[in-house]
Amino acid sequence: MSILVLGGAGYIGSHTVYELIDEGMEVVIADNLETGYAAAVHPKAKFYQGDIRNREFIDSVFDNEKIEAVIHFAANSLVGESMTNPLKYYDNNMCGTKVLLESMVAHGIDKIVFSSTAATYGEPESIPILETDNTKPTNTYGETKLSMEKMFYWVSRAHGLRYVSLRYFNACGAHVSGQIGEAHNPETHLIPLILKVPNGQRENITIFGDDYDTKDGTCVRDYIHVTDLAQAHILAVKYLMNGGASDIFNLGNGVGFTVKEVIETARKVTGHPIPAVTVERRAGDPAKLIASSEKAVKVLGWKPQFADLEKIIESAWKWHSTHPNGYNK
Ligand code: UDP
């Protein structure tokens, strides 16, 4: 029996595949390579190129392979783009998941782990954020992820499927081997953008606002290493295999760092002065996002290994300094 990883050529998907294979599991990947990279596909995984919105394609994967459980990363994930092109997000994220669920139900596949996001909460009402807090997304990306969670809920009630939804905070870092890492185009995330400065690809990093109500005025985020996220997916698959009930879990370190602290740590790791320029706030950025992941620790037995920001940035730098253009030569 295999685990099917949808979006297994993307950032978090590829890191999860590496961990699954390290644990001796059989892995099948399906990815349309729209934002994923063939070079990120683990050589020991079986790879199908195709789109989950295509029912014939996803049916053929389930027909050809013995799939025990699905891990679903196949979605668009850029907050800014989701605001200028919302229908792209409804189409890929929601319609894709609808077709996937139809095919899973038809094939009697009843376990799925799903990549969700802190963006489902919107502006937090209290810190740290708990799974039981209100969900009021402030962007289309978060809205589609929340709708996908609800789709799983109603389908699980009707068809007996079980799901785990994992709400990530700020995914970052790269595989310790330096073989795979973060490669978005365009890049919008803080750590890879900072590392473009010591890589000679940017003059400086821009800080989006320093007048927030935080200790140094810049936004606070909960940075969580991609390998820790990957481990949580494996624990969630095992939880479902052992009969665990459908549930939702936050995944973060429970510690917040300001934008200025992240830049300072990158200076220390890279030995580069990394000039920073403060500009206007970015629309839709909450001042502070910090997770409570106690539930994942208690129920799934999750133990993040990379709580230290310096270690996280060291792993990211190992990747970016050797792959300044990501997977493109
Ligand atoms: N940020 C910044 N400059 C940049 C990119 C991001 O100051 O060039 C800030 C952003 O406002 C947020 C934090 O860094 O407070 C993390 O942003 P990112 O886009 O990495 O993740 P998000 O929190 O939006 O998911």
Side-chain angles (χ1 to χ4, degrees), residues 167-185:
R167 292 179 176 166
Y168 319 148
F169 282 63
N170 286 62
C172 54
H175 195 260
V176 283
S177 66
Q179 280 177 317
I180 52 171
E182 189 167 7
H184 296 114
N185 191 13

Side-chain angles (χ1 to χ4, degrees), residues 170 188-190 193 206-208 219 221 223 259 282 285:
N170 286 62
T188 62
H189 294 112
L190 180 64
L193 287 176
T206 47
I207 298 173
F208 296 151
C219 288
R221 292 289 180 274
Y223 294 90
V259 173
R282 183 171 69 176
D285 269 343

